[in-house]
Amino acid sequence: MERDDLKLAEREALVPSTPAERAETPAWASAMIPSVFVVLWSSAFIAAVIGTDAAPPLLLTFSRFALAGVLLTGVALVTKAPWPKGRLLAHVIVTGLLMQAVQFGAFYTAIGAGLPGGVVALIQGFNPVLIALLAGFFAGEKISRQQWLGFAVGGAGVALAVAGALHFSTTAIVLSFVGLLGLSVGTVYQKRFTKGADVRSSTAVHFLASAPVMLVMTLTLENPKVTNWTGFGGSLAWIVLINSVGTFLLLNFMLKKQDATRVGTLFFLTPAVTALLAWVVIGQTLSTSAIVGLVLGGAGVLLTARK
């Protein structure tokens, strides 16, 4: 990272950076954050499959946002995190609606319509390509030729893997791409307009702003009734504690330390990890074309992330 970028990242960090504070986080721990993020993020698709089998998808989405919003609000209050105000608050709300309401409302509805969680993860694998285009066009982030090659290879791999899922509901696939667009636009929007926002309070605002939207949608578009409380409760607990709180805090932390394009490359890894978790946890398998696509996606990550 260049010197100016390093100074900017320090100014954007949760607490002003000093040598003593930086020493509190070991280098090995910082290096593990991307890997931990990928595994935890991928597990959300498996939990969503279980959750949408037990309750309507928008009800699951609302429950996730409401509980995570309350939990993170408590964390922010106890730790005395500064809350966004004025124009910054408006930008944080927009970011939350894009990254939460649009993304997960669409993703969970697609999964509830029968599209496997692994396939949704594969579609989400296009996120680095969209982020690269959006960040380059709107945020002025420079992308090297090697990164573009990585995007091309990774994108081709994701496309190959997704091609085998075309026999599923077309509406579900379209919804998955809508969710992808919400994540990608929200990531770039956050990077550009919410600099200086505290990770704890801003993530709480994301959920609190998105929960009412999902409540209205579940009450008007579906029958909000739980058919399996064990499956619903277990998946909701995992989604709230691990995915809603843990992964999004990690995501926001990484976005403050790195440019949006590099953080976005991590999503090339989620399809392969999701496929492995789906096979281990719920017994889902992949076709040969999907496996080849995952290999190409991993190659794209290596090309993009390599310095």
Side-chain angles (χ1 to χ4, degrees), residues 27 60 71 78 111 134 142 149 180 192 223 231 238 250 307:
L60 177 65
L71 179 60
V78 169
I111 292 174
L134 294 171
K142 295 182 179 180
L149 178 60
L180 164 66
R192 183 173 184 181
N223 180 20
W238 182 270
L250 289 177
K307 295 182 181 180

Side-chain angles (χ1 to χ4, degrees), residues 219-299:
L219 292 176
T220 57
L221 299 178
E222 58 188 21
N223 180 20
K225 181 180 179 180
V226 178
T227 58
N228 180 353
W229 280 101
T230 300
F232 179 77
S235 64
L236 183 61
W238 182 270
I239 289 172
V240 169
L241 297 176
I242 303 300
N243 302 129
S244 294
V245 178
T247 59
F248 272 93
L249 287 176
L250 289 177
L251 178 60
N252 288 337
F253 176 82
M254 289 187 297
L255 285 172
K256 288 179 176 295
K257 297 297 184 181
Q258 304 175 33
D259 61 63
T261 300
R262 187 166 295 277
V263 173
T265 61
L266 293 174
F267 291 95
F268 269 142
L269 293 172
T270 58
V273 177
T274 301
L276 178 60
L277 291 176
W279 174 62
V280 172
V281 178
I282 56 180
Q284 288 184 348
T285 58
L286 291 176
S287 64
T288 301
S289 62
I291 294 174
V292 174
L294 295 178
V295 172
L296 287 176

